[in-house]
Amino acid sequence: MCVDASAPGCPRHEALGVDGMWMLLAPADEPAGAGELIRASPRARAALLDGGPPRRSFADLLAPTSVAISRQLLLDALEGGGRACRQPLEYAHADGAVICMTSARRFDRCDGGHGLLVEIEEEEEGEWLHWEALRSMTVLADHSLWTYDEEADEFSWLDGERLYNGVGPGDRMPLAELLGLVYADDVGRVEEAFWALRKGRARQVDVDFRMPDEHGDPHWLRTLARLVRFGFDGKRRVVGTTINTTAAVERHQSLLKAHADARRRGDLVQQLAAAFVSAATEDELTTAILNRVAPAFGGNGTLLAFVEEGRLRVTFGAGIDPALARSLHGLPLEAPKPLTEAIRTGTPLFIATRDDYRRSWPLAHGLLDATAAESFIMIPLRGQGASPLGGWVVTFDRPHNLSDHEQTLAGVMADLAGQAWERIRLQSARAELASTVQRNLLPALLPVAPGYEIEARYSPAHHGLDVGGDWYDVIALPDGSTACIIGDVQGHSVQAAALMGQVRTAMHAYAWQDPAPDRVLARTNDLMLQMRLPVFATCLYALLTPDGRVMTARAGHVPLVHAAEGGAEVREYPGGPPLGVLAGSDFPVHVLHMAPGDLLALVTDGLVEGPQLPIDAGLAGICDVAERRRAAPLAEIANVVMAQGDSLTGHVDDRAVLVVRRGTCEETSVAGPRRALADSNHPAGSAG
């Protein structure tokens, strides 16, 4: 590996120079582009090798960020014949980073191989040879480039756009003078960043700050800086770039505000919808509309009008001019006004400006004379009947163009409020709304389950709106298997029922994608935690295959009962915690086999637990029913199981049951999906 410097094509001593910084490398086979030192100048040895033996890898001399660049540099030099290739490289040094322009070129060795001459270029008349390239790259990226000489306490702006207060290329000033241009509240943060570099507490800093313009308006800037030396004999200095981020910061702040506004208004809409659903009297509905509608749309006032004997009866809340209310009170429904048209047609009207109102309603300017509002929404109360119910007006104190989302929302609010008002007038809102919740959140039909009969029953805790969170589902899957799910969302309220519907829908979708019980429960658990739902849910999931194999997993739920020819027993398998409680929960899967005629009963705790009934005794009662009536009609078994909750638990609670029996092919092949049946107490469904 020796190099004969006198051989043709080899660098000569006088060509290299005793005082220069150079190294001779032998290319290494692995990794590509690596080089091994075989010789170095005295200055290179002193600066990089600490006087030790020169034989080591060239990559060992570099900072980690420059290793890949150095290998490419050596590869380019090997392929370039005798042409010199150049790259700025960062060398590892005890005093910190040293950036030097480095050249490499190939030479022919005396043994017929190739070597590499690497030269570290020196300072040339006070300028660094690669500085213009660095400037160009920085300016092209819309950054400004600067240095700070800590010995001279001089901040120098080198290139880029001028900042506010006229600071720009060619300017030099002490650090204190520069800090005097920074927004007062941010000076400490900028000063701390400089000291962190100078004291060695940080290798690189990233700081955001503001600088006011000549009018005193602050503009946002971002600075990236680090402490380096250019050349081994160079002074330490802070080098950095600064970019104007005002537009990005303002856009980010605008997005944050828009997100916060959307979230706030979303909460208001949710509260408004809940208020409409729960309103049981005219006063409750009126209060909800007058107090919640305007904030949900970003308006400042709401006026409500009911139709009585063909005329408007008006009431209004804060933010509405009394003169506007007087101009509309008693108005005939046939009057050519925007509110009466919205009520007659059932179509919301959106009026963005007063000029739009004048153009669209040239004969109805009295409304504008009665209010200073700039924009209006006219929303009807849309009921199921043919007779108009009424409507409301939302006013805005500035022109307002509703988005498509807001216009859709206005229609939804019209439907919800109209339906609530209609039910209130018929004095049946509680029973009808509870029935609607139950009907919409539980399956109306049970699908065909190949090889099985299935019956379902459900009963809410109370009549009216006091519905609960128990649910069940039966899902026919593409591979011929069937998922049976039963669960209970904490609480007895419309909110609990609505959340129950969300959980059931999510599990239905997950089961369709991947029916494995543990994965369905885990994904539902993750979803509930991500949505930050204010409740938890218990659940039992059973996956039935046509050959009688049943895979089960449960999340804090009551275990299932299995009745076979030899008797009935509670299958108390270990499970996971309730859904929505603990991230990363596991839900072990257990397998059982059903012979023809075997029966499974999946129940909620309202059937087997209460003040007068411990859960073990309740499950024993289910076992007794399943064992004695295993061969009875499945609908009869489901009804008897449901009746146990009335007589034994000591309280009225939500309760649901799924009863599954494995049959023969002849018994189940002719059955199809059937619409859910219901009596006054127990909605029922069957499949098989």
Side-chain angles (χ1 to χ4, degrees), residues 477-510:
L477 299 170
D479 62 357
S481 60
T482 303
C484 291
I485 308 172
I486 195 163
D488 183 3
V489 173
Q490 169 203 16
H492 301 93
S493 64
V494 172
Q495 183 186 30
L499 293 173
M500 170 267 283
Q502 290 179 290
V503 173
R504 172 183 167 263
T505 301
M507 294 191 74
H508 197 116
Y510 291 149

PDB file of all heavy atoms in Angstrom, residues 477-510:
ATOM      1  N   LEU A 477     -72.050 -12.277   7.616  1.00  0.00           N
ATOM      2  CA  LEU A 477     -70.756 -11.918   7.059  1.00  0.00           C
ATOM      3  C   LEU A 477     -70.524 -12.614   5.724  1.00  0.00           C
ATOM      4  O   LEU A 477     -71.116 -13.656   5.447  1.00  0.00           O
ATOM      5  CB  LEU A 477     -69.652 -12.277   8.056  1.00  0.00           C
ATOM      6  CG  LEU A 477     -69.782 -11.537   9.401  1.00  0.00           C
ATOM      7  CD1 LEU A 477     -68.818 -12.117  10.424  1.00  0.00           C
ATOM      8  CD2 LEU A 477     -69.528 -10.045   9.214  1.00  0.00           C
ATOM      9  N   PRO A 478     -69.645 -12.038   4.892  1.00  0.00           N
ATOM     10  CA  PRO A 478     -69.476 -12.572   3.534  1.00  0.00           C
ATOM     11  C   PRO A 478     -69.020 -14.024   3.493  1.00  0.00           C
ATOM     12  O   PRO A 478     -69.307 -14.730   2.535  1.00  0.00           O
ATOM     13  CB  PRO A 478     -68.404 -11.641   2.934  1.00  0.00           C
ATOM     14  CG  PRO A 478     -68.475 -10.388   3.736  1.00  0.00           C
ATOM     15  CD  PRO A 478     -68.876 -10.803   5.112  1.00  0.00           C
ATOM     16  N   ASP A 479     -68.281 -14.498   4.509  1.00  0.00           N
ATOM     17  CA  ASP A 479     -67.775 -15.864   4.471  1.00  0.00           C
ATOM     18  C   ASP A 479     -68.785 -16.891   4.972  1.00  0.00           C
ATOM     19  O   ASP A 479     -68.452 -18.068   5.133  1.00  0.00           O
ATOM     20  CB  ASP A 479     -66.478 -15.963   5.280  1.00  0.00           C
ATOM     21  CG  ASP A 479     -66.698 -15.625   6.760  1.00  0.00           C
ATOM     22  OD1 ASP A 479     -67.832 -15.272   7.133  1.00  0.00           O
ATOM     23  OD2 ASP A 479     -65.719 -15.702   7.528  1.00  0.00           O
ATOM     24  N   GLY A 480     -70.024 -16.471   5.234  1.00  0.00           N
ATOM     25  CA  GLY A 480     -71.043 -17.395   5.707  1.00  0.00           C
ATOM     26  C   GLY A 480     -71.160 -17.467   7.213  1.00  0.00           C
ATOM     27  O   GLY A 480     -72.096 -18.083   7.733  1.00  0.00           O
ATOM     28  N   SER A 481     -70.246 -16.862   7.938  1.00  0.00           N
ATOM     29  CA  SER A 481     -70.345 -16.831   9.397  1.00  0.00           C
ATOM     30  C   SER A 481     -71.291 -15.719   9.837  1.00  0.00           C
ATOM     31  O   SER A 481     -71.699 -14.871   9.034  1.00  0.00           O
ATOM     32  CB  SER A 481     -68.969 -16.647  10.024  1.00  0.00           C
ATOM     33  OG  SER A 481     -68.395 -15.429   9.596  1.00  0.00           O
ATOM     34  N   THR A 482     -71.632 -15.736  11.106  1.00  0.00           N
ATOM     35  CA  THR A 482     -72.574 -14.756  11.656  1.00  0.00           C
ATOM     36  C   THR A 482     -72.005 -14.208  12.962  1.00  0.00           C
ATOM     37  O   THR A 482     -71.563 -14.970  13.819  1.00  0.00           O
ATOM     38  CB  THR A 482     -73.944 -15.393  11.934  1.00  0.00           C
ATOM     39  OG1 THR A 482     -74.439 -15.972  10.725  1.00  0.00           O
ATOM     40  CG2 THR A 482     -74.928 -14.351  12.449  1.00  0.00           C
ATOM     41  N   ALA A 483     -72.018 -12.894  13.098  1.00  0.00           N
ATOM     42  CA  ALA A 483     -71.568 -12.247  14.340  1.00  0.00           C
ATOM     43  C   ALA A 483     -72.787 -11.864  15.169  1.00  0.00           C
ATOM     44  O   ALA A 483     -73.704 -11.211  14.675  1.00  0.00           O
ATOM     45  CB  ALA A 483     -70.736 -11.012  14.031  1.00  0.00           C
ATOM     46  N   CYS A 484     -72.803 -12.304  16.411  1.00  0.00           N
ATOM     47  CA  CYS A 484     -73.843 -11.932  17.366  1.00  0.00           C
ATOM     48  C   CYS A 484     -73.196 -11.051  18.434  1.00  0.00           C
ATOM     49  O   CYS A 484     -72.233 -11.464  19.084  1.00  0.00           O
ATOM     50  CB  CYS A 484     -74.468 -13.163  18.006  1.00  0.00           C
ATOM     51  SG  CYS A 484     -75.451 -14.155  16.860  1.00  0.00           S
ATOM     52  N   ILE A 485     -73.738  -9.861  18.612  1.00  0.00           N
ATOM     53  CA  ILE A 485     -73.143  -8.888  19.531  1.00  0.00           C
ATOM     54  C   ILE A 485     -74.216  -8.391  20.475  1.00  0.00           C
ATOM     55  O   ILE A 485     -75.335  -8.087  20.061  1.00  0.00           O
ATOM     56  CB  ILE A 485     -72.544  -7.688  18.766  1.00  0.00           C
ATOM     57  CG1 ILE A 485     -71.602  -8.166  17.660  1.00  0.00           C
ATOM     58  CG2 ILE A 485     -71.805  -6.759  19.717  1.00  0.00           C
ATOM     59  CD1 ILE A 485     -71.138  -7.058  16.747  1.00  0.00           C
ATOM     60  N   ILE A 486     -73.882  -8.285  21.755  1.00  0.00           N
ATOM     61  CA  ILE A 486     -74.777  -7.691  22.720  1.00  0.00           C
ATOM     62  C   ILE A 486     -73.942  -6.810  23.633  1.00  0.00           C
ATOM     63  O   ILE A 486     -72.794  -7.132  23.949  1.00  0.00           O
ATOM     64  CB  ILE A 486     -75.553  -8.760  23.521  1.00  0.00           C
ATOM     65  CG1 ILE A 486     -76.735  -8.132  24.263  1.00  0.00           C
ATOM     66  CG2 ILE A 486     -74.642  -9.534  24.474  1.00  0.00           C
ATOM     67  CD1 ILE A 486     -77.771  -9.139  24.720  1.00  0.00           C
ATOM     68  N   GLY A 487     -74.488  -5.650  24.025  1.00  0.00           N
ATOM     69  CA  GLY A 487     -73.696  -4.724  24.817  1.00  0.00           C
ATOM     70  C   GLY A 487     -74.547  -3.753  25.583  1.00  0.00           C
ATOM     71  O   GLY A 487     -75.778  -3.722  25.472  1.00  0.00           O
ATOM     72  N   ASP A 488     -73.854  -2.916  26.368  1.00  0.00           N
ATOM     73  CA  ASP A 488     -74.529  -1.965  27.244  1.00  0.00           C
ATOM     74  C   ASP A 488     -73.648  -0.737  27.387  1.00  0.00           C
ATOM     75  O   ASP A 488     -72.520  -0.824  27.887  1.00  0.00           O
ATOM     76  CB  ASP A 488     -74.771  -2.607  28.613  1.00  0.00           C
ATOM     77  CG  ASP A 488     -75.539  -1.693  29.569  1.00  0.00           C
ATOM     78  OD1 ASP A 488     -75.922  -0.591  29.150  1.00  0.00           O
ATOM     79  OD2 ASP A 488     -75.735  -2.088  30.737  1.00  0.00           O
ATOM     80  N   VAL A 489     -74.137   0.414  26.905  1.00  0.00           N
ATOM     81  CA  VAL A 489     -73.464   1.689  27.121  1.00  0.00           C
ATOM     82  C   VAL A 489     -73.944   2.276  28.438  1.00  0.00           C
ATOM     83  O   VAL A 489     -75.139   2.292  28.720  1.00  0.00           O
ATOM     84  CB  VAL A 489     -73.742   2.673  25.961  1.00  0.00           C
ATOM     85  CG1 VAL A 489     -73.179   4.053  26.281  1.00  0.00           C
ATOM     86  CG2 VAL A 489     -73.136   2.152  24.677  1.00  0.00           C
ATOM     87  N   GLN A 490     -73.013   2.755  29.235  1.00  0.00           N
ATOM     88  CA  GLN A 490     -73.336   3.320  30.550  1.00  0.00           C
ATOM     89  C   GLN A 490     -74.362   4.446  30.415  1.00  0.00           C
ATOM     90  O   GLN A 490     -74.260   5.310  29.566  1.00  0.00           O
ATOM     91  CB  GLN A 490     -72.056   3.872  31.181  1.00  0.00           C
ATOM     92  CG  GLN A 490     -72.285   4.721  32.420  1.00  0.00           C
ATOM     93  CD  GLN A 490     -71.128   5.678  32.661  1.00  0.00           C
ATOM     94  OE1 GLN A 490     -70.331   5.915  31.775  1.00  0.00           O
ATOM     95  NE2 GLN A 490     -71.063   6.214  33.850  1.00  0.00           N
ATOM     96  N   GLY A 491     -75.384   4.443  31.283  1.00  0.00           N
ATOM     97  CA  GLY A 491     -76.323   5.557  31.359  1.00  0.00           C
ATOM     98  C   GLY A 491     -77.710   5.202  30.879  1.00  0.00           C
ATOM     99  O   GLY A 491     -77.936   4.199  30.196  1.00  0.00           O
ATOM    100  N   HIS A 492     -78.675   6.058  31.248  1.00  0.00           N
ATOM    101  CA  HIS A 492     -80.071   5.903  30.835  1.00  0.00           C
ATOM    102  C   HIS A 492     -80.563   7.266  30.378  1.00  0.00           C
ATOM    103  O   HIS A 492     -81.192   7.999  31.128  1.00  0.00           O
ATOM    104  CB  HIS A 492     -80.949   5.380  31.982  1.00  0.00           C
ATOM    105  CG  HIS A 492     -80.497   4.054  32.511  1.00  0.00           C
ATOM    106  ND1 HIS A 492     -79.642   3.924  33.570  1.00  0.00           N
ATOM    107  CD2 HIS A 492     -80.769   2.794  32.081  1.00  0.00           C
ATOM    108  CE1 HIS A 492     -79.418   2.640  33.808  1.00  0.00           C
ATOM    109  NE2 HIS A 492     -80.082   1.942  32.904  1.00  0.00           N
ATOM    110  N   SER A 493     -80.242   7.615  29.145  1.00  0.00           N
ATOM    111  CA  SER A 493     -80.604   8.924  28.623  1.00  0.00           C
ATOM    112  C   SER A 493     -80.599   8.858  27.112  1.00  0.00           C
ATOM    113  O   SER A 493     -80.132   7.883  26.515  1.00  0.00           O
ATOM    114  CB  SER A 493     -79.607   9.995  29.101  1.00  0.00           C
ATOM    115  OG  SER A 493     -78.324   9.741  28.581  1.00  0.00           O
ATOM    116  N   VAL A 494     -81.106   9.917  26.495  1.00  0.00           N
ATOM    117  CA  VAL A 494     -81.059   9.999  25.038  1.00  0.00           C
ATOM    118  C   VAL A 494     -79.611   9.990  24.568  1.00  0.00           C
ATOM    119  O   VAL A 494     -79.264   9.375  23.556  1.00  0.00           O
ATOM    120  CB  VAL A 494     -81.786  11.263  24.560  1.00  0.00           C
ATOM    121  CG1 VAL A 494     -81.581  11.464  23.069  1.00  0.00           C
ATOM    122  CG2 VAL A 494     -83.266  11.164  24.874  1.00  0.00           C
ATOM    123  N   GLN A 495     -78.725  10.667  25.311  1.00  0.00           N
ATOM    124  CA  GLN A 495     -77.313  10.668  24.933  1.00  0.00           C
ATOM    125  C   GLN A 495     -76.736   9.266  24.972  1.00  0.00           C
ATOM    126  O   GLN A 495     -75.996   8.857  24.074  1.00  0.00           O
ATOM    127  CB  GLN A 495     -76.519  11.587  25.854  1.00  0.00           C
ATOM    128  CG  GLN A 495     -75.044  11.689  25.457  1.00  0.00           C
ATOM    129  CD  GLN A 495     -74.226  12.471  26.450  1.00  0.00           C
ATOM    130  OE1 GLN A 495     -74.536  12.479  27.642  1.00  0.00           O
ATOM    131  NE2 GLN A 495     -73.187  13.139  25.976  1.00  0.00           N
ATOM    132  N   ALA A 496     -77.073   8.498  26.022  1.00  0.00           N
ATOM    133  CA  ALA A 496     -76.576   7.124  26.110  1.00  0.00           C
ATOM    134  C   ALA A 496     -77.077   6.305  24.928  1.00  0.00           C
ATOM    135  O   ALA A 496     -76.336   5.509  24.344  1.00  0.00           O
ATOM    136  CB  ALA A 496     -77.005   6.493  27.431  1.00  0.00           C
ATOM    137  N   ALA A 497     -78.352   6.492  24.582  1.00  0.00           N
ATOM    138  CA  ALA A 497     -78.893   5.745  23.447  1.00  0.00           C
ATOM    139  C   ALA A 497     -78.206   6.141  22.147  1.00  0.00           C
ATOM    140  O   ALA A 497     -77.895   5.296  21.307  1.00  0.00           O
ATOM    141  CB  ALA A 497     -80.399   5.989  23.356  1.00  0.00           C
ATOM    142  N   ALA A 498     -77.945   7.453  21.987  1.00  0.00           N
ATOM    143  CA  ALA A 498     -77.275   7.900  20.768  1.00  0.00           C
ATOM    144  C   ALA A 498     -75.852   7.347  20.692  1.00  0.00           C
ATOM    145  O   ALA A 498     -75.401   6.893  19.640  1.00  0.00           O
ATOM    146  CB  ALA A 498     -77.253   9.428  20.724  1.00  0.00           C
ATOM    147  N   LEU A 499     -75.134   7.376  21.803  1.00  0.00           N
ATOM    148  CA  LEU A 499     -73.786   6.825  21.821  1.00  0.00           C
ATOM    149  C   LEU A 499     -73.804   5.317  21.586  1.00  0.00           C
ATOM    150  O   LEU A 499     -72.913   4.756  20.955  1.00  0.00           O
ATOM    151  CB  LEU A 499     -73.106   7.162  23.144  1.00  0.00           C
ATOM    152  CG  LEU A 499     -72.806   8.652  23.354  1.00  0.00           C
ATOM    153  CD1 LEU A 499     -72.302   8.908  24.761  1.00  0.00           C
ATOM    154  CD2 LEU A 499     -71.796   9.149  22.344  1.00  0.00           C
ATOM    155  N   MET A 500     -74.863   4.666  22.132  1.00  0.00           N
ATOM    156  CA  MET A 500     -75.018   3.241  21.866  1.00  0.00           C
ATOM    157  C   MET A 500     -75.117   2.994  20.361  1.00  0.00           C
ATOM    158  O   MET A 500     -74.503   2.059  19.818  1.00  0.00           O
ATOM    159  CB  MET A 500     -76.255   2.706  22.589  1.00  0.00           C
ATOM    160  CG  MET A 500     -76.664   1.287  22.196  1.00  0.00           C
ATOM    161  SD  MET A 500     -77.893   1.235  20.868  1.00  0.00           S
ATOM    162  CE  MET A 500     -79.359   1.671  21.782  1.00  0.00           C
ATOM    163  N   GLY A 501     -75.872   3.828  19.681  1.00  0.00           N
ATOM    164  CA  GLY A 501     -75.997   3.675  18.241  1.00  0.00           C
ATOM    165  C   GLY A 501     -74.669   3.855  17.526  1.00  0.00           C
ATOM    166  O   GLY A 501     -74.359   3.137  16.571  1.00  0.00           O
ATOM    167  N   GLN A 502     -73.839   4.809  17.998  1.00  0.00           N
ATOM    168  CA  GLN A 502     -72.527   5.008  17.394  1.00  0.00           C
ATOM    169  C   GLN A 502     -71.639   3.782  17.593  1.00  0.00           C
ATOM    170  O   GLN A 502     -70.963   3.332  16.664  1.00  0.00           O
ATOM    171  CB  GLN A 502     -71.851   6.238  18.017  1.00  0.00           C
ATOM    172  CG  GLN A 502     -72.487   7.568  17.635  1.00  0.00           C
ATOM    173  CD  GLN A 502     -71.783   8.721  18.298  1.00  0.00           C
ATOM    174  OE1 GLN A 502     -71.856   8.917  19.503  1.00  0.00           O
ATOM    175  NE2 GLN A 502     -71.093   9.509  17.519  1.00  0.00           N
ATOM    176  N   VAL A 503     -71.628   3.258  18.813  1.00  0.00           N
ATOM    177  CA  VAL A 503     -70.789   2.101  19.107  1.00  0.00           C
ATOM    178  C   VAL A 503     -71.244   0.903  18.279  1.00  0.00           C
ATOM    179  O   VAL A 503     -70.436   0.178  17.689  1.00  0.00           O
ATOM    180  CB  VAL A 503     -70.819   1.774  20.610  1.00  0.00           C
ATOM    181  CG1 VAL A 503     -70.085   0.470  20.896  1.00  0.00           C
ATOM    182  CG2 VAL A 503     -70.209   2.919  21.405  1.00  0.00           C
ATOM    183  N   ARG A 504     -72.564   0.686  18.228  1.00  0.00           N
ATOM    184  CA  ARG A 504     -73.087  -0.446  17.465  1.00  0.00           C
ATOM    185  C   ARG A 504     -72.716  -0.316  15.982  1.00  0.00           C
ATOM    186  O   ARG A 504     -72.300  -1.290  15.342  1.00  0.00           O
ATOM    187  CB  ARG A 504     -74.599  -0.515  17.622  1.00  0.00           C
ATOM    188  CG  ARG A 504     -75.247  -1.546  16.710  1.00  0.00           C
ATOM    189  CD  ARG A 504     -76.761  -1.555  16.838  1.00  0.00           C
ATOM    190  NE  ARG A 504     -77.304  -2.325  15.750  1.00  0.00           N
ATOM    191  CZ  ARG A 504     -77.766  -1.818  14.615  1.00  0.00           C
ATOM    192  NH1 ARG A 504     -77.761  -0.521  14.432  1.00  0.00           N
ATOM    193  NH2 ARG A 504     -78.242  -2.598  13.664  1.00  0.00           N
ATOM    194  N   THR A 505     -72.855   0.893  15.441  1.00  0.00           N
ATOM    195  CA  THR A 505     -72.528   1.098  14.032  1.00  0.00           C
ATOM    196  C   THR A 505     -71.052   0.840  13.771  1.00  0.00           C
ATOM    197  O   THR A 505     -70.685   0.208  12.771  1.00  0.00           O
ATOM    198  CB  THR A 505     -72.893   2.534  13.622  1.00  0.00           C
ATOM    199  OG1 THR A 505     -74.294   2.742  13.843  1.00  0.00           O
ATOM    200  CG2 THR A 505     -72.570   2.779  12.162  1.00  0.00           C
ATOM    201  N   ALA A 506     -70.186   1.327  14.668  1.00  0.00           N
ATOM    202  CA  ALA A 506     -68.749   1.107  14.496  1.00  0.00           C
ATOM    203  C   ALA A 506     -68.416  -0.383  14.522  1.00  0.00           C
ATOM    204  O   ALA A 506     -67.648  -0.880  13.682  1.00  0.00           O
ATOM    205  CB  ALA A 506     -67.983   1.835  15.597  1.00  0.00           C
ATOM    206  N   MET A 507     -69.007  -1.118  15.470  1.00  0.00           N
ATOM    207  CA  MET A 507     -68.708  -2.544  15.566  1.00  0.00           C
ATOM    208  C   MET A 507     -69.216  -3.284  14.331  1.00  0.00           C
ATOM    209  O   MET A 507     -68.579  -4.229  13.848  1.00  0.00           O
ATOM    210  CB  MET A 507     -69.323  -3.123  16.840  1.00  0.00           C
ATOM    211  CG  MET A 507     -68.715  -2.579  18.115  1.00  0.00           C
ATOM    212  SD  MET A 507     -69.224  -3.494  19.581  1.00  0.00           S
ATOM    213  CE  MET A 507     -68.274  -4.991  19.378  1.00  0.00           C
ATOM    214  N   HIS A 508     -70.363  -2.864  13.826  1.00  0.00           N
ATOM    215  CA  HIS A 508     -70.900  -3.483  12.619  1.00  0.00           C
ATOM    216  C   HIS A 508     -69.912  -3.322  11.456  1.00  0.00           C
ATOM    217  O   HIS A 508     -69.607  -4.283  10.726  1.00  0.00           O
ATOM    218  CB  HIS A 508     -72.238  -2.833  12.274  1.00  0.00           C
ATOM    219  CG  HIS A 508     -73.063  -3.629  11.313  1.00  0.00           C
ATOM    220  ND1 HIS A 508     -74.279  -4.181  11.630  1.00  0.00           N
ATOM    221  CD2 HIS A 508     -72.831  -3.983  10.025  1.00  0.00           C
ATOM    222  CE1 HIS A 508     -74.766  -4.820  10.579  1.00  0.00           C
ATOM    223  NE2 HIS A 508     -73.895  -4.715   9.593  1.00  0.00           N
ATOM    224  N   ALA A 509     -69.369  -2.089  11.312  1.00  0.00           N
ATOM    225  CA  ALA A 509     -68.423  -1.836  10.224  1.00  0.00           C
ATOM    226  C   ALA A 509     -67.138  -2.622  10.419  1.00  0.00           C
ATOM    227  O   ALA A 509     -66.600  -3.219   9.468  1.00  0.00           O
ATOM    228  CB  ALA A 509     -68.119  -0.339  10.150  1.00  0.00           C
ATOM    229  N   TYR A 510     -66.621  -2.658  11.649  1.00  0.00           N
ATOM    230  CA  TYR A 510     -65.384  -3.387  11.898  1.00  0.00           C
ATOM    231  C   TYR A 510     -65.570  -4.885  11.669  1.00  0.00           C
ATOM    232  O   TYR A 510     -64.677  -5.564  11.135  1.00  0.00           O
ATOM    233  CB  TYR A 510     -64.909  -3.132  13.328  1.00  0.00           C
ATOM    234  CG  TYR A 510     -64.428  -1.729  13.582  1.00  0.00           C
ATOM    235  CD1 TYR A 510     -64.568  -1.138  14.837  1.00  0.00           C
ATOM    236  CD2 TYR A 510     -63.830  -0.983  12.576  1.00  0.00           C
ATOM    237  CE1 TYR A 510     -64.130   0.152  15.079  1.00  0.00           C
ATOM    238  CE2 TYR A 510     -63.392   0.312  12.804  1.00  0.00           C
ATOM    239  CZ  TYR A 510     -63.536   0.875  14.063  1.00  0.00           C
ATOM    240  OH  TYR A 510     -63.100   2.143  14.300  1.00  0.00           O
TER     241      TYR A 510
END
